[in-house]
Amino acid sequence: MAIASPDLVSLPLAELELFARDLELIPIPTVQVVREGTGFDFLAVNRAYRLAGLGVIADRSPMLALLSSRIDAFLRSTDMRSDFDWSIGQVIDSRYYRVTLARPTPALRDRCQIAFIDLTAQVHTERSLRREMTTDSLTGLPNREGFSDMIEAVQADRSRHAVLVIDIDRFGRLNACLGGLAGDELLITVARRIKGVLRARDALARIGGDEFGILMAVDDDAEEAARLAERIQRALSAPFRLSDYEIGVECSIGIAQGDDAIEDVEELIRNAQFAVKRAKTGRHVESYQTQAFTLAREQFAMETALRRAIEERQLRLAFQPICDLSSGSIVSFEALARWRDQNGVEHDPGDFIPVAEESGLIVPLGRWAMDEAARTLRWWDDMCGGDCGMRVAVNLSAIQMQRDDIAPVVEAALIRHDLAGSRFNLELTESAIVSDPDRIAGIMHALKALGTSLAMDDFGTGYSNLAYLQKLPIDILKIDRSFVSGMLADRDKIAIVRAILSLAQALGMRTTAEGIESNELAQTLAALGCTYGQGYLYARPLEADAALSMIVAARAAATASSAS
Ligand code: C2E
Ligand code: MG
Ligand code: MG
């Protein structure tokens, strides 16, 4: 073991020279040795050595016998000195020394002195301090610090293990009701019961006020930890008798498997603590695996990256044309967010929009999308030398509508880019309306007052409360792709699409069919009376300049046909 005590690290060489002259004057146990043929002889031990009880005759000292190979190696070397930590004896009565081997002068090459600085007391003090620091005084179990040490040791061992964190539910309340003493007693009893179901190879620690940690050895079976969790819950389910009360205790348990990917002890404990939190929000007598954490961590990583992407303007909009089904001409473009991160990875909006919604980033993202869509439309107008004849459709998420004041955001974008409100089409989903119908109705009227038109996106997939359709100022129903694609081969889908179309007609709304990928489908939908179509048949979502080329070509074709 290393005994780190810098102040005692080395013996001044000058003293050793003094020793060479008079060994007896040296206050530190010292032995003098001389090289003899292929071996060496002990010349003498000093008074300090004798007084320390290390021996009287060097030749017979077992301590020196144990060091003989080191002494031999030193005498064969050309080194002037060598210091090392050394211990002797069994665990309980071990003694610890800093040993210094030194040649008195370069001239006396065949001699050396061995000095022993006794560090035993210091080591013991350090150890008991460490023990105190790593032990919980109430239960006598290792504390959080001690728990980390234990995990570190098994990780160094590379043996398979799992960490369980057990949190007593509502302990704070129990503590407050029963008083601190009874609370302490409860903790001690809980610790005892948990200990009772552990195997000898598992270790228990108290890592927080009402939190226990178990480090368990895992053989091959990943379910082992879950089974232990069950045993613990069973052990704690019997009522506890404390002074005059009988109380029931429930606990939540989180499990983290210590796999090779997790090298950091703290990370492993954190994983288990995270699992406990999840266990508490679910059925609190349940254990969770780390996958839940991995998922949350991935989401968190995506959230962090997305936040940066918004700040650093890594997002862009793609534009997908929406066509009039009867004439085939383009009437608008839907703006769809695209994100390529700094590693060149293109993320799917189906992945990052939900993360943006959950984290609240949908507010800055939505504001950016609104402004960017308006900016692009302005650019198209400018490139066409006036109104390019297109509208742009922007998606509004339900959460964005709850959290942001949308109407002023839309108005600001229109003003900044000098556009009429009629150029904007806003797509909302049914979930937005369900969340808070009255407030959303107010917002929708405000948006209508700006001149924009409103579309109900993904219609048919949400809660479809038909009562609101009639009350709200909706101009267009967008029939969800799931009903449209494959519709020709599916009677049920056709029936649904027909129903939506006749509903829209009855309410005086126009319709857009999403996900049109074939001519046949476009013709059928046109025949059924659907107003607009959107899908890969016409174009995939395009970069702004490619969309502009499409607009320019469509305008040229229209001019040519009107001229002929
Ligand atoms: P959405 O508003 O329903 O947009 C239509 C989605 O259908 C787009 O997916 C589009 O690429 C895809 N699509 C269009 N035609 C076809 C087709 O013929 N076949 C197939 N298989 N797919 C087609 P995308 O771009 O992946 O966007 C997914 C969703 O993400 C959007 O669904 C929208 O809800 C959301 N989203 C995208 N950008 C934004 C945004 O800026 N803000 C908000 N709040 N949501 C957005
Ligand atoms: Mg949409
Ligand atoms: Mg849609």
Side-chain angles (χ1 to χ4, degrees):
M1 66 163 289
I3 310 164
S5 40
D7 45 331
L8 287 173
V9 166
S10 53
L11 205 57
L13 215 64
E15 272 183 65
L16 281 176
E17 281 171 23
L18 171 73
F19 300 167
R21 272 177 268 121
D22 195 345
L23 196 63
E24 286 301 325
L25 287 181
I26 301 170
I28 295 164
T30 305
V31 183
Q32 223 170 44
V33 173
V34 65
R35 203 165 160 177
E36 236 353 291
T38 57
F40 59 85
D41 272 344
F42 292 103
L43 287 178
V45 302
N46 69 356
R47 181 178 142 82
Y49 193 93
R50 291 189 297 272
L51 284 178
L54 297 178
V56 179
I57 303 166
D59 276 337
R60 299 208 192 129
S61 166
M63 180 146 136
L64 294 173
L66 288 171
L67 277 174
S68 67
S69 63
R70 287 200 135 161
I71 298 169
D72 200 46
F74 180 76
L75 284 171
R76 284 170 199 282
S77 77
T78 53
D79 298 345
M80 283 302 287
R81 88 182 259 169
S82 154
D83 298 277
F84 56 90
D85 291 327
W86 187 67
S87 70
I88 181 171
Q90 292 306 314
V91 184
I92 296 170
D93 53 8
S94 297
R95 300 206 67 82
Y96 300 89
Y97 295 96
R98 167 69 40 83
V99 180
T100 300
L101 299 175
R103 293 200 152 92
T105 62
L108 290 169
R109 300 221 39 204
D110 59 339
R111 282 178 185 228
C112 87
Q113 298 190 119
I114 311 157
F116 295 87
I117 298 172
D118 191 343
L119 300 178
T120 308
Q122 197 178 336
V123 169
H124 283 172
T125 317
E126 273 171 19
R127 286 209 174 151
S128 67
L129 266 177
R130 178 89 201 134
R131 203 174 308 120
E132 219 164 275
M133 273 167 51
T134 57
T135 305
D136 167 48
S137 57
L138 178 68
T139 57
L141 294 171
N143 60 14
R144 165 86 196 217
E145 179 107 15
F147 195 51
S148 299
D149 286 358
M150 295 189 314
I151 299 174
E152 213 163 280
V154 295
Q155 280 186 338
D157 239 29
R158 302 223 149 257
S159 53
R160 277 194 64 189
H161 56 279
V163 165
L164 286 82
V165 168
I166 303 156
D167 191 293
I168 301 172
D169 297 339
R170 296 176 298 116
F171 180 76
R173 251 189 65 204
L174 284 175
N175 211 28
C177 294
L178 299 172
L181 272 181
D184 285 356
E185 199 183 324
L186 177 63
L187 287 171
I188 293 169
T189 321
V190 166
R192 203 174 298 139
R193 283 205 196 166
I194 297 175
K195 226 170 176 163
V197 297
L198 297 185
R199 305 163 304 178
R201 295 185 295 150
D202 306 328
L204 178 65
R206 181 173 172 226
I207 60 175
D210 60 350
E211 217 175 36
F212 291 91
I214 293 173
L215 172 61
M216 78 173 289
V218 175
D219 296 326
D220 318 291
D221 176 3
E223 292 306 304
E224 247 176 287
R227 282 199 299 273
L228 175 61
E230 257 171 49
R231 285 207 302 278
I232 292 167
Q233 263 151 1
R234 229 174 298 129
L236 296 183
S237 67
F240 287 76
R241 254 170 276 279
L242 291 179
S243 48
D244 295 338
Y245 300 96
E246 187 167 278
I247 51 173
V249 164
E250 281 176 299
C251 65
S252 306
I253 300 182
I255 301 171
Q257 300 285 348
D259 52 50
D260 296 336
I262 305 172
E263 276 169 9
D264 180 4
V265 173
E266 293 308 312
E267 187 185 346
L268 188 57
I269 300 177
R270 264 202 317 275
N271 286 358
Q273 282 173 325
F274 177 83
V276 166
K277 276 212 199 91
R278 290 187 58 101
K280 274 194 188 297
T281 59
R283 282 174 291 155
H284 55 107
V285 281
E286 198 175 330
S287 55
Y288 280 78
Q289 305 289 329
T290 38
Q291 286 98 301
F293 186 79
T294 313
L295 197 73
R297 199 169 37 190
E298 274 168 18
Q299 287 228 343
F300 184 71
M302 186 183 251
E303 186 186 320
T304 312
L306 183 59
R307 177 167 287 123
R308 252 187 68 189
I310 295 170
E311 279 163 12
E312 295 176 5
R313 309 213 152 244
Q314 286 172 11
L315 297 182
R316 57 189 206 287
L317 287 179
F319 297 87
Q320 187 178 32
I322 297 174
C323 297
D324 186 313
L325 280 174
S326 53
S327 67
S329 54
I330 307 168
V331 293
S332 62
F333 282 85
E334 178 173 3
L336 295 159
R338 292 291 177 265
W339 171 27
R340 187 183 295 131
D341 67 20
Q342 67 261 40
N343 303 319
V345 178
E346 193 75 47
H347 294 274
D348 194 289
D351 295 331
F352 71 80
I353 295 289
V355 170
E357 289 177 331
E358 211 163 281
S359 58
L361 286 172
I362 194 69
V363 169
L365 189 155
R367 289 183 169 202
W368 164 82
M370 194 66 65
D371 190 72
E372 183 67 13
R375 196 182 65 80
T376 309
L377 188 55
R378 170 84 268 153
W379 180 60
W380 290 342
D381 279 359
D382 291 347
M383 297 309 279
C384 291
D387 186 336
C388 70
M390 296 296 146
R391 291 162 164 255
V392 74
V394 181
N395 290 284
L396 294 179
S397 106
I399 301 199
Q400 182 187 359
M401 297 196 62
Q402 283 164 26
R403 297 208 185 166
D404 202 4
D405 202 359
I406 289 293
V409 170
V410 174
E411 191 176 11
L414 291 171
I415 293 172
R416 187 172 313 126
H417 300 287
D418 192 19
L419 292 166
S422 59
R423 307 290 302 284
F424 257 32
N425 199 346
L426 301 168
E427 299 193 356
L428 314 85
T429 53
E430 289 164 280
S431 56
I433 293 154
V434 175
S435 66
D436 187 353
D438 293 338
R439 199 177 90 85
I440 297 298
I443 295 173
M444 289 173 81
H445 285 288
L447 291 172
K448 285 296 296 179
L450 293 172
T452 66
S453 31
L454 302 180
M456 181 60 44
D457 205 351
D458 307 335
F459 187 74
T461 58
Y463 299 91
S464 298
N465 174 351
L466 296 181
Y468 67 71
L469 269 187
Q470 188 197 355
K471 284 191 230 146
L472 296 173
I474 298 164
D475 303 288
I476 301 169
L477 286 190
K478 288 191 85 174
I479 309 169
D480 192 69
R481 193 172 76 219
S482 58
F483 304 119
V484 175
S485 63
M487 171 185 121
L488 297 178
D490 188 332
R491 283 159 165 260
D492 293 344
K493 284 187 180 176
I494 293 191
I496 294 171
V497 170
R498 273 178 192 276
I500 297 176
L501 290 172
S502 60
L503 177 75
Q505 272 153 19
L507 294 170
M509 296 171 186
R510 287 165 281 152
T511 40
T512 304
E514 297 180 338
I516 301 180
E517 295 189 8
S518 72
N519 245 319
E520 202 188 352
L521 194 53
Q523 281 160 12
T524 308
L525 285 157
L528 288 172
C530 183
T531 330
Y532 307 116
Q534 176 181 4
Y536 296 170
L537 170 67
Y538 306 105
R540 292 191 174 241
L542 306 164
E543 300 294 326
D545 51 356
L548 174 64
S549 306
M550 219 174 160
I551 297 167
V552 170
R555 283 165 62 94
T559 321
S561 79
S562 69
S564 67

